Amino acid sequence: MVHVYPRIILRLFLPAALLLALITSVTAFQLLGPVAGIKSGYILIGLLFAVVLYLAVGAREFETGWDAEGIGSDWKSDAGGRSEFAWFGSAVSPYKLVLVFVCVLVAAVAAADAVPGIDASAVRTGAIVVGLPVGYSALILQLRRGVPTREFLAQAVALYALDPLTKYLSTAFYFGRGDIPKHVHYIDLVATTGTWRSIPELSFYHYFPGLQTLGGSISLLTGFPAYDSLMLTGIVTYAIVICVSYLLARLLFSAQPIALCVALGTSMLAPIHRYSVYFYPQAFAVALVLILVFLSVRYIDADSTGYVEYLLLSAPLVVALWFTHHLTVVLFVPILLCLVAIPILAERVFGVGDMIRPRIPVLAIWVLGSVQYWLAQGVFVSSLLDSVANVFSQGEIAESEAGATIEALGTEIPEPSVGEAVLSLASAGGIYNILLVCALAFGVVCIVRAPARYRRAGGFVAVGLLGSVLMLRIPIDIHGLTRIQLPLSVFVAFLVGGGIYAVVSARNVPVKRIAPGLFVFVLLATAGPAVVSDDLYDLHSGPDLWETRTLPEPQKEFTATEMESFRQSAAYAERYDVTVETDWPSSIGLSRYGTDSEQFAVDDGRIRTEEELLLYRQRWTDHSVRLIPEQASLVTLLVSEEWLGETVRTENKVYTTGEVGLLADHSDGSQFERANP
């Protein structure tokens, strides 16, 4: 009877999913309007692509053979099993070609950033939208013909690193959503004083200084600035996560190529790329937990000596996790419960045994020790309850940003458009989410077709299946949803990897039949980095799947010129002991140089301040300006060049660097007003 379930699921999954997606789109259209209805249609499109892909690759059982036979005529294998590509009569290892190719692209971006007059962001855009498809195509074709593990992982890590490395090289200071400068400041404090106790006691991270201590130690040992230490640590950390995903999958699957496919799937997912550079304590803690889960599986059947080794390796991770991040515990508890409960239920209810579940004691010590630490220090519990309440109170229909109020100075606020909603499906975000739906649905079908192959990893696959729902965009903004996606990414990669394996292992299927599968996964590997490349404003300038109105892109980085302007402006404010109000990114820039500032308000077409001076920036006109007047409150401001030029001309300009200026209100001015002069 148990063997009947996969057949039923296989027959009903895609039709049921298509029907559910159609109902969802129609419901969104009726309740939320045509714009939301059209945008939610990406799920339906992705599922239709999955049906086409399934039919194209083949509706019969995939071949499972994986050996050196069947290597194409343009490939040959040496005595060590190394695949080589015959190119112009000479044997060249394909993995070396890919590595050299990635190095050339990284060097090109670095050179473009160093040479005046060359747009580094344009070179970086080309590296992503052209370089990644070429690199991943070569890698997947190698996977189809057979490739040694070390060579494969070296290429997968190199292709993953292309995005974060070029982002690091082409931006003077990437601040993302605002946490980076704060942690850079704390790392500076640790590096200069030699102790985490230098982090202010009023800061939450006085109690959770793990990442800051690591970054400060690296900065102290290498001499790197705090910012560089943080960026490079994040990039290396998630390169390790890709390797850990392979090692974990290797323990769960008898076929090594499936593990390689899981690692490849991990390197494609957007959260992996996003948090490798937007590297804050949760991103570090998630990596530590994934290593801990791997060790809990690696030593599940260890003898007494192996168990001692397991404890010695796990203990430093557990201690580090206690003092690194708090919310990570809450996010991983349901995941760990599923990893333990699903194999037990499968065995007792369905009679399916052999599912692997991780060792519990060390993981339990981490969770219980964290809770004990919170209670002993009197931290986090009240913040957690407030955050939960905030999640349920802040859900709103998606606009430019979750719950954001939009104000405009000298320009009009664009209205939602059905035409732009259609175009948004072809944006970077639209393409990524369509392909992600396709890859996940195709992966589920391929896994169900061969349940015996994936039985041992049943708990991990089930977590990926349940978690895949949270990886998808819906018309309702849920506060903090992106925080949940990162811990789920490696588990979701099991589904993506299952689909990749089905494509590359179809030995008796002609290449032209699996071409749609290659296209989907290569494009997904490109769209993942593209959708999180928020420093590439031109790439995201059109209608985006995330927004109802098409607004200028929010600024996510500062140029070297802007950073120097902030330094000079901070020195001016300190010299004359004046306080300023400005926008949220500018507050971040000033804080890098020890100057605090407040954020202004916009009322009736004018800027109103409580403080003495208003700090403006010329790049206001290029981006939507973000204001955060209070916690969990967002204002998106649009400023025209004409309005800013008139304001600077008519108000009392007291200081300027060219990029940044300071204004005091003027009796003849009309754009800017001090509320309490």
Side-chain angles (χ1 to χ4, degrees), residues 132-278:
L132 285 180
V134 172
Y136 272 101
S137 296
L139 185 55
I140 292 177
L141 287 175
Q142 289 179 59
L143 194 58
R144 176 171 166 81
R145 292 165 171 82
V147 58
T149 299
R150 291 181 181 178
E151 295 184 1
F152 176 87
L153 289 177
Q155 294 173 85
V157 168
L159 289 169
Y160 139 79
L162 177 62
D163 165 46
L165 272 178
T166 54
K167 179 183 284 189
Y168 162 66
L169 291 171
S170 63
T171 56
F173 190 90
Y174 176 78
F175 59 84
R177 293 178 303 186
D179 287 300
I180 296 296
K182 173 175 59 179
H183 297 299
V184 168
H185 174 58
Y186 295 154
I187 289 172
D188 266 330
L189 292 177
V190 173
T192 53
T193 63
T195 174
W196 61 266
R197 295 184 181 276
S198 58
I199 299 175
E201 288 193 26
L202 293 177
S203 165
F204 209 62
Y205 293 101
H206 180 79
Y207 300 97
F208 300 95
L211 175 61
Q212 296 78 10
T213 302
L214 174 65
S217 301
I218 292 174
S219 181
L220 201 59
L221 292 172
T222 62
F224 289 161
Y227 173 76
D228 300 271
S229 297
L230 183 65
M231 293 291 105
L232 294 174
T233 301
I235 294 170
V236 171
T237 296
Y238 277 86
I240 294 172
V241 166
I242 292 172
C243 297
V244 168
S245 70
Y246 163 76
L247 294 173
L248 178 60
R250 188 69 185 93
L251 295 173
L252 297 170
F253 300 113
S254 57
Q256 182 191 32
I258 301 181
L260 295 176
C261 292
V262 170
L264 187 61
T266 303
S267 74
M268 295 177 176
L269 295 177
I272 298 295
H273 288 265
R274 174 182 291 116
Y275 292 105
S276 64
V277 176
Y278 191 71

Side-chain angles (χ1 to χ4, degrees), residues 319 323 547:
V319 174
F323 304 108
E547 57 188 0

Side-chain angles (χ1 to χ4, degrees), residues 53 80 122 161 180 220 312 333 339 396 443 510 537 541 564 571 579 584 634 646 654:
L53 178 58
I180 296 296
L220 201 59
L312 291 175
V333 163
L339 292 179
E396 299 187 16
Y537 305 118
S541 60
E564 175 61 20
T579 54
W584 176 72
L634 292 174
E646 178 67 13
V654 299

Side-chain angles (χ1 to χ4, degrees), residues 513-524:
R513 286 190 59 187
I514 67 167
L518 297 176
F519 177 78
V520 165
F521 289 108
V522 166
L523 201 55
L524 177 65

